[in-house]
Amino acid sequence: MTSTPQADSLTFHTASKRHLLVECGNLTATMALHHSLEAADLLGVTELIPAARTVLISFDPARTSAGVLAEAVRGLGHTESVSDTAREVTIDVRYDGDDLAEVADLLSVSPAEVVNRHQAATWQVAFAGFAPGFGYLAGDDELFAVPRRSSPRTRVPVGSVALAGEFTGVYPRSSPGGWQLIGRTDAQLWDLDRQPPALFVPGTIVKFTEAEREIVDLAGSSAGPDSSDASGSLSAADAAASHSLEVLRPGLQLLVQDLGRPGFASMGVSAAGAADRTALIAANRLVGNAESAAGLESFGGGVLLRSAGDGVAAVTGATGTITVTAADGTVLTPRLGEAFALSDGDEIDLGTSQRGVRRYVAIRGGIDVETALDSSSADTLAGLGPAAVVKGTTVSVHDPRTATHLVDPTPTGPRVLPQAGETVTLTVTLGPREDWFTEAGIDTLLSQEWTVTHESDRVGLRLSGEVPLERARTGELPSEGAVTGALQVPPNGQPVLFGPDHPLTGGYPIIASVDDLDLAAQLPPGVKLRFTTSAQPTTAHPAEAPRLAQAPRTNDNEG
């Protein structure tokens, strides 16, 4: 692992208007390419997501292009060996996993030999994914090629040491999973108070040793990204804060969101953040906050808030009634996309969403919660960030005097958003795995009407069509990076449109990606979709272009 792959061994795939997928011949070549890309720091590259055979490159279209990047990647030269500079970690393991005997039978060796060779091997973190802190460790012993369980467990205990394919891994939190369990450890894989929070980052050398001390049974623990001390409290500000909001009714789902936490893909953490970034930015501008300030994201409406203290608020996104009732009974009806004053005791009632599905509430000063990786956003898949806001919660607000940005008094006006039963046309970019589908399958994607089902959330929208997408290849891909807006196709041929909380990696082929992510965030269940392609150039995502120009529920089948 001392140099990048030969240029003629690389294959380049379009993953979106902002992403290029580079495919290598094997895992070793992929690890070397990822290391070289990190060292090269190519112009316009914003993030790298390595996987089993690919590296997904996220880039700023205002600074570079897929073609320029492909040429630059082909020209990468010799780099230092990853193992020459990598840090080393030792993990104590009690080898008492439920699947140890079955693994031994599968490998035609004794359980003792499985344990001995697992400890004797040198393992290196190839990439991260599935959950924050989960690393895919590749070893130097060819013995370990273990199939996943035919029936995944609904719950794997935190700290489980497991095998699948050519990899070993340790579950950083309790979660569903299909890997073969051979042991357990009390090592803390994810700790927000540690730098970096993930114990396993790409390139880390890992040695496993037999534990000499008793390990507490952690089967009932859910420590990790979803633990309360790591996820951020809704009482970060002092109880005597000058302004707060009491949640009298949260509606279907009420979350704290900002613009997310990009830059942590190497630790298995997706950017997450507001689903409709344009709407959150507009709300913040209206009240004089920084664009990245945290606000409230409501799914479906039905929210009732009571203001403690005076302030300024704005609501953007999906259409629907907005009613402010003062303590003396006076009723006001602010318009969507227009700032309005709040007095102590005022109640803000957001009616059911009529067009679109997500509404954003910004308060001057911004929502004040503890951050996780420098972001206040709630990642519903990873369990990272503040928990969903429930009835009776008091949400603190930063001192309005900290909002030093100029107020944009121009009303944003309602956008033309869809409602159930209507048909919306979305432009898509084919790739990276359209070659896994027949011509008839691609034609079906672009000609057939699809319905957004009720099995939809921030992780993904499940789509239903009369004719499933026909595959040209069967089976699954080696795990590879996925982008927000990707149309991933499981074996049933019915696509899933990935939302902001999607898994970083997955093994089902992605046929295309949706270009307009903000519109995708406003698709309610029951809306009809048609997909079309366009050769017209697309600018950077409106919420990310300024930031980048100055410096982008389904279960992942990996666990």
Side-chain angles (χ1 to χ4, degrees):
M1 201 187 315
T2 58
S3 65
T4 56
Q6 295 295 317
D8 57 7
S9 69
L10 300 177
T11 306
F12 297 85
H13 305 270
T14 298
S16 82
K17 298 291 188 183
R18 304 174 51 82
H19 297 87
L20 178 67
L21 188 72
V22 186
E23 185 173 7
C24 302
N26 53 51
L27 177 62
T28 299
T30 303
M31 294 171 68
L33 174 62
H34 178 235
H35 184 61
S36 296
L37 285 167
E38 286 188 314
D41 193 22
L42 298 177
L43 178 68
V45 172
T46 59
E47 191 150 33
L48 303 170
I49 302 179
R53 300 290 184 271
T54 59
V55 179
L56 180 66
I57 303 176
S58 175
F59 63 90
D60 175 10
R63 302 173 65 196
T64 188
S65 67
V68 169
L69 280 178
E71 287 303 312
V73 171
R74 289 190 184 97
L76 289 177
H78 177 86
T79 60
E80 184 179 19
S81 170
V82 177
S83 58
D84 289 344
T85 59
R87 66 170 183 163
E88 297 188 6
V89 172
T90 299
I91 302 295
D92 293 336
V93 180
R94 169 171 290 179
Y95 288 95
D96 59 358
D98 292 345
D99 302 321
L100 180 58
E102 182 178 346
V103 167
D105 288 341
L106 288 168
L107 300 180
S108 300
V109 298
S110 67
E113 185 169 354
V114 171
V115 172
N116 290 337
R117 292 177 69 166
H118 190 258
Q119 294 179 71
T122 296
W123 300 90
Q124 187 170 46
V125 181
F127 58 97
F130 175 59
F134 187 94
Y136 292 76
L137 281 60
D140 56 3
D141 188 336
E142 295 182 356
L143 172 73
F144 295 103
V146 181
R148 288 178 173 81
R149 289 173 54 86
S150 58
S151 177
R153 290 180 170 89
T154 57
R155 183 173 173 276
V156 175
V158 62
S160 294
V161 180
L163 298 167
E166 60 196 302
F167 301 108
T168 193
V170 181
Y171 282 75
R173 59 182 295 194
S174 177
S175 65
W179 288 37
Q180 306 276 8
L181 308 185
I182 63 170
R184 53 185 174 140
T185 179
D186 63 352
Q188 192 167 6
L189 276 292
W190 180 264
D191 182 358
L192 282 171
D193 294 326
R194 180 175 60 204
Q195 290 300 324
L199 189 62
F200 293 165
V201 295
T204 303
I205 302 296
V206 180
K207 295 290 290 184
F208 293 97
T209 62
E210 187 89 35
E212 296 180 356
R213 61 185 182 278
E214 191 74 17
I215 295 180
V216 177
D217 185 359
L218 298 176
S221 171
S222 59
D226 53 352
S227 58
S228 59
D229 60 337
S231 55
S233 166
L234 288 176
S235 58
D238 187 90
S242 60
H243 195 191
S244 62
L245 296 172
E246 181 184 358
V247 180
L248 305 178
R249 189 177 64 235
L252 294 177
Q253 184 185 62
L254 188 62
L255 301 172
V256 177
Q257 294 292 346
D258 57 18
L259 294 185
R261 49 180 67 85
F264 297 99
S266 63
M267 294 187 288
V269 179
S270 67
D276 184 343
R277 298 163 70 89
T278 296
L280 177 62
I281 287 173
N284 276 324
R285 286 174 175 170
L286 286 166
V287 299
N289 289 341
E291 292 181 350
S292 59
L296 295 175
E297 178 184 274
S298 162
F299 179 85
V303 175
L304 182 62
L305 309 170
R306 180 184 292 133
S307 177
D310 299 338
V312 179
V315 179
T316 57
T319 63
T321 60
I322 307 169
T323 305
V324 176
T325 303
D328 64 3
T330 303
V331 177
L332 302 174
T333 54
R335 290 188 296 176
L336 183 73
E338 190 171 63
F340 55 92
L342 285 176
S343 298
D344 184 47
D346 284 357
E347 293 187 359
I348 313 167
D349 190 342
L350 303 185
T352 303
S353 299
Q354 297 171 354
R355 287 191 168 274
V357 72
R358 288 186 169 88
R359 311 178 83 178
Y360 292 83
V361 181
I363 304 291
R364 184 166 177 81
I367 302 299
D368 182 13
V369 296
E370 294 180 9
T371 61
L373 299 178
D374 302 321
S375 171
S376 301
S377 66
D379 185 332
T380 60
L381 178 65
L384 191 61
V389 184
V390 298
K391 181 179 179 179
T393 301
T394 297
V395 181
S396 298
V397 178
H398 286 291
D399 188 334
R401 291 171 295 183
T402 64
T404 58
H405 291 70
L406 293 176
V407 173
D408 182 353
T410 307
T412 60
R415 290 150 58 194
V416 179
L417 297 177
Q419 61 184 1
E422 294 183 343
T423 300
V424 177
T425 298
L426 294 176
T427 302
V428 298
T429 300
L430 290 178
R433 297 298 180 181
E434 75 274 25
D435 59 330
W436 274 58
F437 299 86
T438 64
E439 289 187 12
I442 294 176
D443 182 67
T444 298
L445 174 73
L446 300 176
S447 62
Q448 178 171 267
E449 191 171 76
W450 302 88
T451 301
V452 177
T453 74
H454 286 272
E455 295 181 88
S456 300
D457 54 22
R458 283 178 51 91
V459 178
L461 308 181
R462 289 184 181 270
L463 310 182
S464 175
E466 182 178 353
V467 179
L469 298 180
E470 185 179 77
R471 294 264 291 263
R473 305 186 195 181
T474 58
E476 294 181 11
L477 286 157
S479 175
E480 63 185 29
V483 305
T484 302
L487 289 169
Q488 188 187 66
V489 186
N492 66 4
Q494 302 290 339
V496 178
L497 200 171
F498 274 175
D501 294 352
H502 68 86
L504 280 177
T505 59
Y508 296 141
I510 292 172
I511 190 171
S513 64
V514 171
D515 294 338
D516 191 338
L517 302 182
D518 291 332
L519 179 55
Q522 294 291 0
L523 298 174
V527 75
K528 309 292 183 180
L529 300 181
R530 286 192 176 275
F531 297 116
T532 185
T533 59
S534 173
Q536 298 300 316
T538 301
T539 59
H541 192 290
E544 294 184 334
R547 174 175 59 82
L548 295 176
Q550 297 172 0
R553 158 139 11 195
T554 62
N555 287 325
D556 180 18
N557 58 312
E558 292 307 304

